[in-house]
Amino acid sequence: KTAEPRLPKQKGTVLDEVKEIIELPGKAAKYQQDPNAIELHPQVIQQLEDYVSSIARMYRQNAFHSFDHASHVVQSVTKILSRVVTPDSIDYHEMAYKQPKGAAKLHEYTYGITSDPLTQFACAFSALIHDVDHSGVPNAVLVNEQTDLASHYKNKSVAEQNSVDLAWELLNQPEFQALRACIYSTKEELCRFRQLVVNAVMATDIADKDLGSLRKARWDKAFAEDERLLEDSDDPTATPSSTTSTTKTTSQSSHRRHEESSQIATNRKATIVIEHLIQASDVSHTMQHWHVYLKWNERLFHEMYAAHLSGRIATNPSEGWYEGELGFFDFYLIPLAKKLATCGVFGVTSDEYLLYAEANRQEWEMKGKEIVEGYLSHYGRH
């Protein structure tokens, strides 16, 4: 038996671990067999079921931030990822994508996300755990109440950091050793898995303006990178040489620097795209059918209303809910859907999300005030 890989000793909080760039595998992995034909050991399956059941019990009975919500987010993540690579795009006889050199092309087009099963699993895992132990009130309330949890996490992303710590501690219990060995087998894989989970879950804190500004700057930097790389392709240091060997050496050096710069740019894009994938999945109900949107919107309203009645939130949410939803559509949801389209990875999903977001916004503008009154009348019946 080989020793189980361990993370280096962590300093600071979960939020301190967030990175601008997560390094993904640099090349497309060739399929060794049909993924649907892989049979997990019964022990792994049992431990996975036990882990999910334990996570479910760690969710509180909130109207919105519950295991039901986590399950909905997991479904959204897996649906989006399934539309990036579909089974019929793989030739299982040749164990490669059907188009010649298709694996490399798809790897580059999706910034390496489709070529790394660990990345895809990390996205689904993050969705599962992202609201573990959520208390049913926003982070701002926990900070204002000066809770021990808020103090421990330095008043930043309190709920999100707590969720990661609790879920990670559970995963590292002795009874999940076989599950861990199935997820990662090397220290490199463990570190990548941890980093992906940290970045993804921290991205679900959309209320922190400072973090939002940093994430926006990272998005702008990532998708302005292509233009910069084109400018850098004419390396000013590669001056003509009097000897052929010097010219060749300089050219090779420039090519290596370009490849390294290109890989960094790809990883930067992958990192920010993964964060936006989990963000979109976290609020996917707003970009689905009108009745799905209303179901979850009412649950969130009831959660906030319960916090108001208990004295934890001073403002009655009904007083600004209608206007707040319009602002949420205009300044977060619709721009987010457009970003999914901009990155070009998620195909028809981004188009569907944008169409539903715009349609739901229009219908909410017409019916929202009456609907909020209905939310109030329904409260306590569920």
Side-chain angles (χ1 to χ4, degrees):
K1 288 185 177 181
T2 58
E4 182 178 350
R6 297 291 182 185
L7 286 172
K9 189 174 182 180
Q10 304 295 323
K11 296 181 180 179
T13 63
V14 175
L15 190 59
D16 296 325
E17 298 178 45
V18 173
K19 287 186 177 180
E20 180 180 351
I21 301 173
I22 299 174
E23 187 175 350
L24 300 187
K27 294 182 179 180
K30 185 176 180 180
Y31 278 74
Q32 301 301 312
Q33 66 181 104
D34 178 352
N36 294 318
I38 297 174
E39 293 187 7
L40 294 175
H41 191 281
Q43 184 183 26
V44 174
I45 296 175
Q46 185 61 56
Q47 288 188 13
L48 178 60
E49 291 178 353
D50 291 345
Y51 183 80
V52 174
S53 296
S54 297
I55 287 292
R57 289 191 293 271
M58 293 168 70
Y59 274 86
R60 302 190 192 187
Q61 298 299 311
N62 299 316
F64 182 88
H65 291 97
S66 61
F67 186 69
D68 285 349
H69 167 64
S71 300
H72 187 258
V73 178
V74 171
Q75 289 176 324
S76 298
V77 166
T78 54
K79 180 180 180 180
I80 293 175
L81 288 173
S82 72
R83 288 184 166 185
V84 178
V85 184
T86 56
D88 58 6
S89 68
I90 303 170
D91 184 344
Y92 293 115
H93 294 290
E94 297 296 328
M95 296 307 164
Y97 294 101
K98 289 181 179 178
Q99 294 183 349
K101 299 181 180 179
K105 291 180 180 178
L106 192 61
H107 173 85
E108 295 165 5
Y109 181 74
T110 61
Y111 316 122
I113 295 171
T114 59
S115 304
D116 184 28
L118 182 61
T119 296
Q120 297 173 53
F121 178 79
C123 291
F125 181 88
S126 300
L128 175 72
I129 70 163
H130 80 282
D131 276 331
V132 161
D133 195 41
H134 196 289
S135 61
V137 295
N139 283 328
V141 173
L142 300 177
V143 172
N144 289 337
E145 292 176 344
Q146 299 181 341
T147 62
D148 291 341
L149 210 58
S151 176
H152 177 71
Y153 293 118
K154 303 175 184 177
N155 297 330
K156 302 286 287 186
S157 302
V158 179
E160 292 79 11
Q161 294 193 78
N162 182 51
S163 295
V164 171
D165 276 342
L166 291 176
W168 195 263
E169 181 182 7
L170 177 66
L171 181 62
N172 280 277
Q173 294 303 306
E175 59 266 33
F176 299 116
Q177 191 278 330
L179 174 60
R180 294 195 300 274
C182 188
I183 298 172
Y184 51 81
S185 58
T186 67
K187 185 175 180 180
E188 178 187 6
E189 290 175 346
L190 168 59
C191 290
R192 185 163 79 253
F193 178 61
R194 168 74 180 189
Q195 196 62 66
L196 288 163
V197 170
V198 167
N199 271 52
V201 177
M202 291 304 99
T204 62
D205 182 5
I206 62 174
D208 190 299
K209 293 182 179 180
D210 292 337
L211 293 176
S213 297
L214 289 172
R215 196 171 294 114
K216 181 180 183 302
R218 288 164 56 203
W219 175 277
D220 293 340
K221 184 177 182 180
F223 286 93
E225 194 74 17
D226 290 339
E227 184 177 343
R228 188 189 67 77
L229 285 174
L230 288 173
E231 294 173 354
D232 288 352
S233 62
D234 298 326
D235 187 357
T237 64
T239 55
S241 173
S242 57
T243 63
T244 304
S245 60
T246 302
T247 302
K248 183 177 180 181
T249 301
T250 304
S251 176
Q252 290 174 339
S253 177
S254 177
H255 179 68
R256 284 195 298 270
R257 287 199 301 272
H258 177 78
E259 282 189 336
E260 291 172 0
S261 180
S262 178
Q263 186 59 44
I264 291 171
T266 297
N267 286 334
R268 178 181 285 113
K269 289 178 179 178
T271 303
I272 199 69
V273 166
I274 289 167
E275 291 177 0
H276 282 71
L277 160 65
I278 197 78
Q279 284 184 332
S281 299
D282 194 22
V283 294
S284 60
H285 62 280
T286 65
M287 298 180 280
Q288 293 172 349
H289 192 277
W290 170 249
H291 295 293
V292 175
Y293 163 60
L294 285 189
K295 167 190 171 181
W296 290 102
N297 187 253
E298 182 170 14
R299 288 190 177 192
L300 182 58
F301 176 88
H302 286 171
E303 185 172 298
M304 295 297 98
Y305 192 63
H308 168 66
L309 293 180
S310 69
R312 301 189 73 184
I313 295 179
T315 304
N316 186 334
S318 65
E319 295 175 2
W321 198 266
Y322 170 77
E323 295 80 7
E325 285 298 293
L326 291 177
F328 195 45
F329 275 111
D330 291 340
F331 300 110
Y332 182 74
L333 296 173
I334 292 175
L336 177 60
K338 290 180 177 178
K339 282 184 176 180
L340 294 182
T342 297
C343 70
V345 174
F346 303 113
V348 295
T349 298
S350 55
D351 297 330
E352 288 179 0
Y353 274 15
L354 180 58
L355 288 173
Y356 272 120
E358 291 176 336
N360 287 342
R361 193 255 185 234
Q362 183 177 7
E363 194 149 3
W364 178 264
E365 185 175 21
M366 293 186 296
K367 304 177 180 178
K369 291 182 179 179
E370 181 181 348
I371 288 171
V372 173
E373 293 179 3
Y375 290 171
L376 283 169
S377 66
H378 297 162
Y379 181 77
R381 298 181 187 177
H382 299 285

